Amino acid sequence: MDAITMKMDPVEFYGTTVGSRLLLGTAQYPSPAILTEAIRASAAEIVTVSLRRESGAAKAGQSFWTLIRELGVKVLPNTAGCKTVKEAVTTAEMARELFGTAWVKLEVIGEDDTLQPDVFGLVEAARILSRDGFQVFPYTTEDLVVAEKLIAAGCEVLMPWGAPIGSGRGLNNPYGLRSMRAHFPGVPLVVDAGVGVPSHAAAAMEMGYDAVLLNTAVAKAGDPARMARAFARAIEAGREAFLADPIDARDMAAPSTPVMGRAMLAE
Amino acid sequence: MKIVVNGEHADTRAATLTDLLNELGYADAIVATALNGTMVRAVQRRATALAQGDRVEILAPMQGG
């Protein structure tokens, strides 16, 4: 998508307008330099970040934060790894002070094998944080009842999973994701997690999703910057396709070349 | 005084959270702090006294997905 089209098709999260519909994670890159290259290549305007115990001498967190600030991107702090409402709420509060933003990617993890959200804790934490002035981006499932409760709790964005975090399986439940899109036509929806290759991201965008959030698929690719660019293009292509109103699939063939005027050459 | 900092046992002479951060070389660092599981805002650190057995968390910006 060129710059002009992009200006006409921004996406809005809690009143903040962004041009890129790719949200990129910052973890697991081979080096800070490759992370920088990948963020630039992705053209992402929002990156996810976290907070962890600072290690004594190295002070790795300080140099990471300098790198992110120099890139001029918006940050979306997460509560990754939190398993209880209290942990998630406290982590969000600490992230708000540290990063100076009310945005939070709210994760309350319920199960270790799938890193599936604990949707009960998620709704409760979302309610507490929204009341406290946070702008919550909940990492959730495609369950519509949970989604309704998240909206009632104050969320103005929903982020259903495509597949378990880091699995690269793509969109496990296309029907559920399509239902969610149809059920919440006015809510910004972001497919978050499980995306493996650009075609998965394009598929989400073709369904009408507003954006895609991914990390591992780029960070663990052989050439992260190149993969970041591939994802950026796939997401733009998928968005364009959605806006262009795709045809419906059908079971039987329908000739594309006109039948009228065809020469009769058969014996 | 024995406390626990980021999950590790530590011996400190710091009377407050601010003193502890100075002692550990975090005076100018961008960190968030918690004491016994509750967040302590930057402005409250000076007035937050430490006691034997306290659990302190010092968190920094980090890569995340």
Side-chain angles (χ1 to χ4, degrees), chain B residues 3-20:
Chain B
I3 59 171
V4 177
V5 179
N6 284 352
E8 292 185 9
H9 293 284
D11 221 330
T12 181
R13 296 161 72 177
T16 66
L17 201 46
T18 297
D19 293 343
L20 180 69

Side-chain angles (χ1 to χ4, degrees), chain A residues 25-27 48-56 59 61-62 64-65 69 78 86 90 93-94 97-99 105 215, chain B residues 6-7 24-26 29-34 37-43 45 57-65:
Chain A
T26 56
T48 53
V49 293
S50 187
L51 60 172
R52 286 285 181 267
R53 288 168 169 175
E54 181 71 296
S55 60
K59 305 261 191 317
Q62 308 304 310
F64 168 68
W65 187 221
R69 272 185 304 188
N78 69 27
K86 181 176 188 299
T90 304
E93 285 170 349
M94 294 173 85
E97 181 178 81
L98 202 61
F99 296 108
K105 173 181 161 177
N215 189 158
Chain B
N6 284 352
L24 295 174
Y26 295 120
I30 296 171
V31 291
T33 49
T38 303
M39 180 189 179
V40 178
R41 294 181 193 287
V43 293
R45 285 176 197 153
E57 293 284 339
I58 303 170
L59 303 187
M62 209 57 74
Q63 295 84 346

Side-chain angles (χ1 to χ4, degrees), chain A residues 52 78-89 91 105-123 125 138-141 159 161 163-166 192-193, chain B residues 65:
Chain A
R52 286 285 181 267
N78 69 27
T79 61
C82 290
K83 292 189 169 174
T84 65
V85 172
K86 181 176 188 299
E87 267 185 304
V89 168
T91 302
K105 173 181 161 177
L106 183 61
E107 292 183 39
V108 183
I109 299 299
E111 206 276 320
D112 277 336
D113 286 334
T114 58
L115 296 178
Q116 179 165 340
D118 166 3
V119 293
F120 306 97
L122 181 70
V123 170
Y139 167 61
T140 186
T141 67
M159 301 210 298
W161 62 350
I165 295 170
D192 175 11

Side-chain angles (χ1 to χ4, degrees), chain A residues 131-209:
Chain A
R131 208 180 286 149
D132 193 24
F134 280 88
Q135 296 174 327
V136 178
F137 295 61
Y139 167 61
T140 186
T141 67
E142 65 277 34
D143 189 302
L144 297 185
V145 179
V146 172
E148 288 282 15
K149 290 185 187 298
L150 288 168
I151 299 286
C155 297
E156 295 179 18
V157 177
L158 296 172
M159 301 210 298
W161 62 350
I165 295 170
S167 69
R169 296 179 60 85
L171 310 182
N172 261 356
N173 182 2
Y175 166 75
L177 291 171
R178 219 173 275 121
S179 298
M180 196 174 201
R181 179 67 287 178
H183 195 73
F184 297 102
V187 177
L189 298 182
V190 181
V191 165
D192 175 11
V195 169
V197 287
S199 55
H200 297 154
M205 298 305 293
E206 286 167 10
M207 283 179 191
Y209 273 74

